[in-house]
Structure formats: structure tokens, C-alpha cells
Amino acid sequence: MVPRASAVAEHAPDLAGEAVPAFEVVYAEHFDYVWRTTRRLGVRPGEVADVVQDVFLAVHTLLPKYEPRNAIRGWLYAIVARTVLHHHRTRRRRTAPGENELDEALVEGFADADARGPEDSVAESEHLRLLERLLDSLDPEKRVVLVLAAFEHKSMAEIAAILDLNPNTVATRLRAARERIQAALARHHARDGWRIK
């Protein structure tokens, strides 16, 4: 259950005199974004609600320190990314060796469902499953960087700031993630080509 923010004023002024949005406003306006981002970062469908709750608990705690001159989505993304990385590390410690980490459920949020026609749904579902398997093959640190670059269209400097990393670390992780995805795609296409012949 997300905490009630009745103690948070409609708008609490920060030190610069700008208004910090109320928790209820942030929650209502950005819940879908947080949910989609959590899925994009590899949280399994059955675990998304718990991770999103953890995100909004952190938002509730950190909101008084938010600086309104910064973009709220970038600030939220940093919280989501750190929460998801913590979730993945915890899950990895609890997972039995050899347990299959692939999640065959469709990726929610990679494509806008309203923009798809019925004739596109089968092909798109196959592409989404492949995309999710490819992303699942990455370790969480590389996946976060790749999602920020590819889906959120963030620059290296922005990714470094959001994740509080050295830009060289970001570049190394992004390059490694892209190389792994490209190699996996090449193997997938080679298998499909073999089946067609």
C-alpha cells in the first residue's frame, strides 16, 4: 500500500522559493510511467507492484528534497533505476543456481497498445518476446544503461548523472550491452535462416 501523503502540503516551498509538487500529484501523474519503466528494467510482472510500491515509498521520503528546477521524470527515473537494481540484486541472491531467469510474459510498455492494429499484434508480440529475452540476458547494471539510452533517449552525461556513475563506466556498460544484444540477434537470425531453408 502506498503511504498516504496527507501530511504533505499541496505545495511545499523549497529553499529556492519554487513549489515542490504534492506526493498525490506526483503519484497520480507519474504512476503509469513508473510502472512501465519498472517493467522495461526487467522486473517480472508478478513483482512489479511490490517494486513500484518501494519506488513510491522512496519518492514520499525524498520528495521534500526534490528541486523543482530539475525534470521530475529524470529524478523519478533515478529512483526507479536504483530501486530496480536493488530488487535484482536481492532476487539474484535468493535465486537457486541454474534457475531459468527468462520471463516469457509480454513486455508491457515497449509499444503503445493503442497504436497497434489487430493485424500487427501477432508479429509485434513475437518481437516483444524476443526483445524481452534479449534484455533479460543482460545483467541489471547494463540493462539500466541500455534502457536509458535506447528507450529514454538519454545522453551519456544524463545517464551518468541519473545513475551517479562515471561517464566512462556508462560508456563501457552501454557498449557491452549493445555488443551482447547484437550477438544474440545475429544468433537468432541465423537460427531463423536455418529453419527457413
Side-chain angles (χ1 to χ4, degrees):
M1 184 84 182
V2 175
R4 295 291 308 149
S6 54
V8 179
E10 179 64 28
H11 291 288
D14 72 346
L15 298 177
E18 297 180 47
V20 174
F23 174 78
E24 292 92 342
V25 173
V26 174
Y27 182 85
E29 291 180 0
H30 300 285
F31 179 86
D32 290 342
Y33 171 75
V34 169
W35 187 281
R36 282 191 316 272
T37 303
T38 301
R39 278 296 292 132
R40 284 180 180 169
L41 293 176
V43 175
R44 293 179 173 205
E47 299 170 347
V48 172
D50 289 339
V51 175
V52 168
Q53 177 180 344
D54 290 343
V55 168
F56 279 108
L57 284 170
V59 167
H60 187 265
T61 302
L62 297 171
L63 192 59
K65 297 177 184 175
Y66 168 67
E67 297 180 19
R69 63 186 156 269
N70 296 329
I72 187 87
R73 285 222 170 163
W75 182 78
L76 283 171
Y77 195 97
I79 294 171
V80 173
R82 288 185 184 112
T83 304
V84 168
L85 284 172
H86 176 74
H87 168 78
H88 284 309
R89 287 183 194 117
T90 301
R91 190 173 196 291
R92 200 172 14 210
R93 283 192 295 267
R94 290 183 308 196
T95 302
E99 183 179 324
N100 186 1
E101 288 294 319
L102 292 180
D103 179 359
E104 295 299 327
L106 291 178
V107 179
E108 296 170 4
F110 278 112
D112 184 0
D114 295 334
R116 293 195 308 255
E119 65 280 355
D120 299 326
S121 62
V122 172
E124 189 162 320
S125 291
E126 291 173 9
H127 286 108
L128 289 174
R129 275 193 278 268
L130 172 61
L131 178 58
E132 185 170 66
R133 283 194 301 271
L134 293 174
L135 289 173
D136 279 346
S137 72
L138 299 174
D139 64 69
E141 290 79 10
K142 290 182 184 75
R143 182 174 180 150
V144 168
V145 171
L146 182 65
V147 168
L148 274 169
F151 297 105
E152 299 294 327
H153 309 291
K154 300 293 184 190
S155 69
M156 294 283 194
E158 290 172 319
I159 296 169
I162 288 170
L163 298 177
D164 195 26
L165 292 172
N166 179 303
N168 291 334
T169 302
V170 171
T172 300
R173 288 180 184 178
L174 183 58
R175 184 173 49 255
R178 286 179 172 156
E179 287 171 358
R180 179 142 186 186
I181 294 291
Q182 287 171 348
L185 272 175
R187 286 191 303 272
H188 174 77
H189 291 312
R191 278 193 305 268
D192 278 358
W194 176 80
R195 286 185 193 138
I196 292 171
K197 290 180 181 178

